[in-house]
Amino acid sequence: MRVKVLSRNPDDYVRETKFDLQRVPRNYDPALHPFEVPREYTRALNATKLERVFAKPFVSSLDGHRDGVNCMAKHPKSLSTVLSGACDGEVKIWNLTKRQCIRTIQAHEGFVRGMCARFCGTSFFTVGDDKTVKQWKMEGPAHGEEEEPIHTILGKTVYTGIDHHWKEAVFATCGHQVDIWDEQRTSPMCSLTWGFDSISSVKFNPIETYLLGSCASDRNIVLYDMRKSTPLKKVILNMRTNTLCWNPMEAFVFTAANEDYNLYTFDMRFLESPVTVHMDHVSAVLDVDYSPTGKEFVSASFDKSVRIFPVGKGHSREVYHTKRMQHVITVKWTSDNKYILCGSDEMNIRLWKANASEKLGVLAPREKAAMNYNQKLKEKFQYHPQIRRIAQHRHLPKSIFCQIKEQRIMREARRRKELNRRKHSKPGSVPLVSERKKHIVAVVK
């Protein structure tokens, strides 16, 4: 007679010390787990609900300006340093870890129209309504020294924007025209113009560093090549573009913030139609900035809200607002991909989490594992109606909610009118125009 004896290795289930976790054997045979999917669905639903419960994005408010915050700049080397310029000509340098102002400069008379930091982080540039370009040291003056700029360039017209080259001692200003300056000279190396209206914004491409993009008041987005003394091409939209931002990971892609409440992501090689039209704001979009990963961007609007858009999607994944926040004029995404800064009319800079429900501070390994597991579950069941509804729902201020409703009715009416015109016209006389091509007037090369 043969007897089978169960034999187990104690190493498989005995703890080495009493502080270790109990080892639980698990058989992964799917036949033994008939209710795996319903169980995972319940976990995904709970994870989605908890994500909305813990969504508290507001971190801090930096107050100290005596007028509306008009522009901001990031320090290229220090994550905790941020610069801001106000409408009374005052520039402040902030320490984000201490959440306090470390230096204040009375830089200009009138508005500070634009500012940018040098690529090495030793100095920064400001332009203002007093027709000057000033370069300042990033470090404060020594004891007994006066606060004075390193260089001052006197211009003939008001400069409305400035941006520094990512690798060389060259910067660009815009106003009546786009001027390319060498830091050592008081006159521009070259001046680029195409059209007669004032230019509101100029930005260097972070990858192809000799490329520039600018937005003009005559509804143009113009692209320039610094190696040539002529513009490359321009695209004319239905309404004016306030600013643009290049994708830091894709050399040819940029996003433009427009007056018609939309944002347009273009590929500069195919300007005939935008890659994506991002619609959600209910008033003019005033500023846009990309995350360092290049997968998302943040936009600031006149409708008193900040929205985060995935690059390839037409609608925002997140909207931030507070009762006190007024028209948001400028916005920046920090270089560590963790936070968003926005400056608004009522003299405050607000610090938000880029991921609203993210837990700040050091995470234990088990917390990290649980977060990753929940994230995968949410991705797996993201299209289930109940989970999708909970994940997408956002409370909005009444003004924004009513305007969204009104715009939806207007959009439906326009669509219905177009369908009726097509139905009662000769076949082919009313062509089908896609949403992406509706907003483009012309492309000039």
Side-chain angles (χ1 to χ4, degrees):
M1 180 179 169
R2 186 176 293 175
V3 178
K4 284 188 178 179
V5 179
L6 284 173
S7 66
R8 291 196 182 98
N9 184 358
D11 291 340
D12 293 337
Y13 58 91
V14 176
R15 294 182 294 173
E16 289 184 7
T17 67
K18 64 179 181 180
F19 300 108
D20 286 355
L21 296 174
Q22 289 280 7
R23 294 186 183 181
V24 180
R26 172 129 188 242
N27 191 332
Y28 288 96
D29 181 7
L32 297 175
H33 300 281
F35 299 113
E36 186 179 17
V37 173
R39 196 161 60 233
E40 283 191 342
Y41 175 77
T42 307
R43 287 176 186 170
L45 188 63
N46 290 338
T48 309
K49 286 177 180 176
L50 285 172
E51 183 188 44
R52 298 315 312 146
V53 167
F54 292 122
K56 293 179 172 59
F58 183 73
V59 178
S60 168
S61 169
L62 310 174
D63 49 351
H65 276 294
R66 292 171 297 178
D67 210 334
V69 182
N70 199 47
C71 54
M72 286 195 296
K74 293 183 282 192
H75 193 292
K77 298 288 174 75
S78 167
L79 285 173
S80 61
T81 308
V82 145
L83 305 101
S84 64
C87 298
D88 59 355
E90 194 176 61
V91 169
K92 283 184 180 286
I93 301 175
W94 303 88
N95 186 324
L96 292 181
T97 48
K98 295 178 182 175
R99 295 174 197 170
Q100 63 187 28
C101 175
I102 52 176
R103 191 165 152 225
T104 304
I105 306 163
Q106 188 57 46
H108 295 276
E109 294 171 17
F111 282 42
V112 180
R113 288 288 173 190
M115 61 196 312
C116 65
R118 200 172 185 273
F119 62 91
C120 60
T122 54
S123 62
F124 64 94
F125 295 81
T126 60
V127 292
D129 275 356
D130 52 5
K131 302 180 184 177
T132 58
V133 181
K134 294 183 180 179
Q135 183 181 4
W136 306 84
K137 279 185 182 173
M138 195 67 78
E139 297 295 324
H143 182 67
E145 285 183 17
E146 286 187 17
E147 188 77 82
E148 286 185 351
I150 306 169
H151 297 300
T152 303
I153 298 168
L154 298 172
K156 293 174 185 173
T157 57
V158 173
Y159 296 111
T160 54
I162 186 168
D163 197 31
H164 202 282
H165 195 280
W166 290 78
K167 291 176 182 173
E168 295 171 18
V170 172
F171 64 92
T173 59
C174 63
H176 180 60
Q177 60 194 10
V178 172
D179 294 321
I180 312 291
W181 304 77
D182 191 309
E183 285 181 15
Q184 306 302 320
R185 294 170 61 180
T186 55
S187 58
M189 293 193 297
C190 70
S191 296
L192 306 161
T193 183
W194 193 354
F196 301 100
D197 256 315
S198 61
I199 296 161
S200 58
S201 168
V202 63
K203 292 284 168 72
F204 274 101
N205 191 319
I207 303 167
E208 302 290 348
T209 50
Y210 46 81
L211 287 176
L212 295 104
S214 74
C215 311
S217 301
D218 54 0
R219 303 174 297 153
N220 291 344
I221 299 171
V222 189
L223 303 176
Y224 307 95
D225 192 329
M226 214 168 68
R227 299 168 298 184
K228 300 179 182 178
S229 55
T230 55
L232 289 174
K233 48 184 163 181
K234 70 175 175 181
V235 56
I236 306 168
L237 277 74
N238 277 332
M239 291 185 77
R240 188 170 85 107
T241 301
N242 288 313
T243 186
L244 60 86
C245 186
W246 294 93
N247 190 322
M249 290 292 161
E250 296 183 50
F252 302 111
V253 176
F254 65 89
T255 297
N258 204 277
E259 285 280 329
D260 65 358
Y261 316 167
N262 296 339
L263 294 113
Y264 300 98
T265 298
F266 284 96
D267 187 321
M268 66 170 282
R269 296 165 294 183
F270 314 106
L271 289 176
E272 286 74 21
S273 73
V275 179
T276 318
V277 180
H278 309 276
M279 311 165 112
D280 260 345
H281 282 295
V282 293
S283 194
V285 188
L286 301 179
D287 200 12
V288 60
D289 192 40
Y290 264 93
S291 71
T293 59
K295 291 181 178 178
E296 293 181 319
F297 61 84
V298 61
S299 63
S301 173
F302 199 76
D303 64 10
K304 308 176 189 176
S305 70
V306 172
R307 285 183 183 268
I308 301 171
F309 290 87
V311 168
K313 295 192 178 171
H315 294 283
S316 60
R317 73 160 173 86
E318 201 63 78
V319 55
Y320 295 158
H321 54 85
T322 66
K323 282 186 178 177
R324 292 185 181 180
M325 187 160 75
Q326 295 303 306
H327 312 306
V328 190
I329 298 170
T330 178
V331 71
K332 286 279 179 260
W333 199 309
T334 56
S335 302
D336 61 350
N337 200 31
K338 288 265 185 188
Y339 302 100
I340 286 162
L341 288 150
C342 70
S344 49
D345 255 357
E346 85 305 336
M347 307 177 278
N348 263 13
I349 296 167
R350 287 180 174 82
L351 185 65
W352 309 84
K353 288 190 273 189
N355 183 2
S357 57
E358 185 180 15
K359 187 184 174 185
L360 299 179
V362 181
L363 295 177
R366 289 183 73 188
E367 277 182 307
K368 277 186 190 172
M371 273 174 50
N372 293 336
Y373 178 60
N374 286 340
Q375 187 60 39
K376 287 294 175 190
L377 283 178
K378 284 183 284 188
E379 283 174 18
K380 182 176 178 180
F381 293 97
Q382 62 183 329
Y383 296 112
H384 281 241
Q386 198 175 357
I387 289 177
R388 189 177 180 183
R389 183 185 62 79
I390 294 166
Q392 290 186 350
H393 179 75
R394 297 289 180 276
H395 284 290
L396 292 168
K398 193 176 179 183
S399 58
I400 295 178
F401 182 78
C402 292
Q403 279 176 286
I404 288 173
K405 202 172 172 183
E406 189 181 319
Q407 282 183 12
R408 193 182 297 126
I409 293 165
M410 287 161 65
R411 216 166 24 243
E412 281 298 313
R414 279 198 296 270
R415 193 179 67 85
R416 210 162 45 243
K417 183 180 177 182
E418 195 178 330
L419 284 171
N420 288 339
R421 279 183 63 201
R422 192 172 292 113
K423 194 189 294 180
H424 299 291
S425 301
K426 194 165 73 173
S429 61
V430 182
L432 269 167
V433 182
S434 69
E435 184 63 45
R436 288 191 290 184
K437 291 192 177 180
K438 272 180 191 172
H439 310 277
I440 308 296
V441 176
V443 177
V444 187
K445 294 182 183 178

